DNA sequence: GTGAAAGCGCTAACAC
DNA sequence: GTGTTAGCGCTTTCAC
């Protein structure tokens, strides 16, 4: 069925090495030879076998991307950007879902499923800082996000603390003082939830406002459903508030819906800001203010860093890269 | 760095073939030998090299999935389901984005980027029925959706016509008569837009209602933004309508927003139904009625069919499989 | 039950 | 400039 290099060589009347040279654009080949080889390639419809090439070169041209799940808009858009960035570098992307569960994340790191990739972009959720050892794997690895923060591992992260601070300052700037933090993870310090909550506390502290723990609402998962549930629980307590900082957009969108069902007006009674800038926020009612965490920049930076490692360029010092962010004011905070 | 089979063989004092036998669970090995080999494997931390294995066996354990883009919720959720289904069969998924452009789709079909996959799940958008030839590729291919409908190619599709009919019947059942079709593709017959529009026309015809072409609104892309734009254009024409059948949920969500901005009430003045059942529809305001196209069933069926082809099981007759659908009534149609 | 050896398709020394 | 040759790490006849 498929023609091999020797088939081409035989037809062109040259050696297999010459074919290889032509295929790999080796510079010193006579024009005549090259043409005969190209003709033979065309005639046989020859396509290099990338598996054999991988075995030989030790590289597959594939990078792995492990995320909690693509159903979460943030990760879908991240995957989109990663695939684009990889494509620009002639790489292809194998996507794994971990469900955010620690066990599955460990499996991805150690298991055989990503064996034929050249390196891994990994966005952990279940793993914590104590798992730094586990993340010292014998292949190129770049972590996305701050669940595991270890100077011995490459990282690309958004500026969670600073960006969250800016989001809360945006609410404070509107005169809001009873600001809910939605989606907190009990006791977490490192990780998106912990860091964004730190930003929340910092902003309130800078404004000389004490944190009312009744306004810090826990929620493990960050789907719309969870935002809705958490908001229902909060409303049921009867506690008063005039703004919500949701730790991501999906939580915000779920909450937005429940707030308005309860008869409260957004932004008049309650201003709402999310985090992530998923496209949906442009079309919700009201449109959702949010933080643009620089997803595209994260993807491009991470792919570049991973390729640097794969190709063995750059020194051994691990990098901790941080991308920019930007507050995006929309109707839900009164614009 | 990495141990090979011969390293293991040397340490265990056996031949490389014996190691291979143990690794592949070949039945007839003496207990003692097996234990010595397993011990050596553990000691060296040996992991089989999957690239070499692929070269030998001709299979990589990777399937390709080509979709327009993951930023569209429908495709993100489809990719999620495909990865799950593949995982259940011990396969891993390489995701490519085509942007829905014909050129890029051709590139995916013929190009070298998916070379090391065992087969391809392909959701075309730019390719049309005239491209059936192109889709007769020398590797296992299963098409998702009906852009190219050729009995010589395996297909897994939703029941676009019937499901669209049911959606429009749902609106008719509410007493609506001036029903907009949003997102039509001029002249398209095969393809989601064409088929869903056929369902729309069928339902109206069955109800004895003529189609007012002023209510058939074109829109090439199916993002929220396009739904919003199209609805703005429609409102500007001043044409009257009491319901909208959007050809997908994202269009519906964009339109929902614009309709309400214009002062019309949903569902009182205008009932809206979409198509796809993306999670977001549960949390929009109002929540969005839609058609559940059986995404999970599509993913599982397609992965199974592709594996059947890869493994050479089943006869040569190509299959055209259709999955179930279900109307999901929510607030935007008055529930 | 286990071993020897060939070869999957390609690349990279090294000759000529 | 081009050919020869030796593997990359594994599976798989075929002997023993």
């Amino acid at each position: 069925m498929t023609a091999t290099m020797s088939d081409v060589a035989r037809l062109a009347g040259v050696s297999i090495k010459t074919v290889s040279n032509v295929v790999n654009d080796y510079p010193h080949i006579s024009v005549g030879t090259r043409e005969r080889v190209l003709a033979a390639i065309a005639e046989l419809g020859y396509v290099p076998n990338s598996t054999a090439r991988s075995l030989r070169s030790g590289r597959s041209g594939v990078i792995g991307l492990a995320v909690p799940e693509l159903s979460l808009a943030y990760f879908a858009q991240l995957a989109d950007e990663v695939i684009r960035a990889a494509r620009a570098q002639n790489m292809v992307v194998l996507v794994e879902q971990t469900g955010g569960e620690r066990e599955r994340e460990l499996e991805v790191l150690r298991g055989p499923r990503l064996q034929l990739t050249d390196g891994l972009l990994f966005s952990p959720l279940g793993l914590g800082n104590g798992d730094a050892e586990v993340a010292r794997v014998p292949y190129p690895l770049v972590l996305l996000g701050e669940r595991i923060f270890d100077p011995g591992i490459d990282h690309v992260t958004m500026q969670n603390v600073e960006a969250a601070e800016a989001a809360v300052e945006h609410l404070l700037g509107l005169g809001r003082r009873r600001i809910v933090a939605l989606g907190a993870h009990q006791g977490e310090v490192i990780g998106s939830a912990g860091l964004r909550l730190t930003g929340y506390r910092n902003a309130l502290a800078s404004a000389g406002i004490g944190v009312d723990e009744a306004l810090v609402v826990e929620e493990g998962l960050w789907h719309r459903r969870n935002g809705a549930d958490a908001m229902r629980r909060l409303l049921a307590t009867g506690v008063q508030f005039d703004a919500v900082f949701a730790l991501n957009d999906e939580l915000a969108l779920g909450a937005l819906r429940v707030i308005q069902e309860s008869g409260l007006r957004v932004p008049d009674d309650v201003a709402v800001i999310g985090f992530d800038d998923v496209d949906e926020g442009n079309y919700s009612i009201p449109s959702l203010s949010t933080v643009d965490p620089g997803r595209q920049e994260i993807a491009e930076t991470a792919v570049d860093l991973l390729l640097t490692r794969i190709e063995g360029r750059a020194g051994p010092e691990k990098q901790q890269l941080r991308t920019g962010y930007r507050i995006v004011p929309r109707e839900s905070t009164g614009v």
Side-chain angles (χ1 to χ4, degrees), chain A residues 131-133 135-136 141-143 148-155 318-320:
Chain A
D131 294 306
E133 283 314 308
R136 293 172 185 276
L141 170 69
V142 171
L143 292 183
I148 304 172
F149 204 74
D150 184 284
I153 304 173
D154 284 317
H155 268 89
K318 297 299 179 178
Q319 308 226 31
Q320 319 297 327

Side-chain angles (χ1 to χ4, degrees), chain A residues 259-320:
Chain A
I259 292 171
Q260 293 179 96
E261 275 175 356
S262 81
L264 291 169
R265 290 163 306 157
V266 177
D268 310 58
D269 300 321
V270 180
V272 177
I273 190 166
F275 199 117
D276 279 349
D277 192 22
V278 301
D279 181 45
E280 184 183 341
N282 285 300
Y283 295 94
S284 58
I285 298 191
S287 61
L288 180 68
S289 298
T290 188
V291 179
D292 169 3
R295 193 167 23 241
Q296 184 181 348
E297 192 187 349
I298 291 174
E300 286 170 357
T301 306
V303 168
D304 285 352
L305 178 54
L306 187 59
L307 277 175
T308 303
R309 296 303 179 199
I310 290 172
E311 290 166 3
R313 300 182 265 124
E317 336 69 54
K318 297 299 179 178
Q319 308 226 31
Q320 319 297 327

Side-chain angles (χ1 to χ4, degrees), chain A residues 193-277:
Chain A
L195 295 167
R196 292 177 194 175
L197 199 62
T198 299
Y200 166 83
R201 293 185 191 278
N202 289 355
L204 292 182
S206 301
I209 300 176
V211 173
D212 178 350
E213 294 299 334
L215 297 180
V216 177
V217 183
E218 304 272 326
E219 194 65 34
L221 290 177
W222 284 1
H223 291 251
R224 285 186 201 80
R225 179 172 311 279
N226 305 105
D229 291 348
M231 183 49 65
R232 263 186 223 105
R233 289 203 315 272
L234 181 66
L235 289 169
T237 66
V239 79
Q240 296 298 306
F241 56 96
D242 55 15
V244 174
F245 169 44
L247 268 42
N248 86 345
D249 279 353
E250 308 223 3
L251 286 168
L253 291 163
L256 207 53
R257 154 98 212 195
V258 170
I259 292 171
Q260 293 179 96
E261 275 175 356
S262 81
L264 291 169
R265 290 163 306 157
V266 177
D268 310 58
D269 300 321
V270 180
V272 177
I273 190 166
F275 199 117
D276 279 349
D277 192 22

Side-chain angles (χ1 to χ4, degrees), chain A residues 8 11-14 18-19 21-23 29-43:
Chain A
V8 176
L11 182 60
V14 298
T18 304
V19 178
N21 283 341
V22 171
V23 169
I29 317 169
S30 73
V31 187
T33 321
R34 149 168 280 129
E35 275 175 3
R36 256 184 306 139
V37 172
L38 289 176
I41 287 177
E43 183 173 341

Side-chain angles (χ1 to χ4, degrees), chain A residues 17-63:
Chain A
K17 164 64 173 157
T18 304
V19 178
S20 173
N21 283 341
V22 171
V23 169
N24 295 294
D25 287 322
Y26 183 73
H28 310 294
I29 317 169
S30 73
V31 187
T33 321
R34 149 168 280 129
E35 275 175 3
R36 256 184 306 139
V37 172
L38 289 176
I41 287 177
E43 183 173 341
L44 295 173
Y46 167 75
V47 183
N49 177 314
S50 43
T51 308
R53 194 174 257 183
S54 300
L55 178 58
R56 206 42 252 232
S57 66
R59 288 193 46 188
S60 62
V62 182
I63 60 176

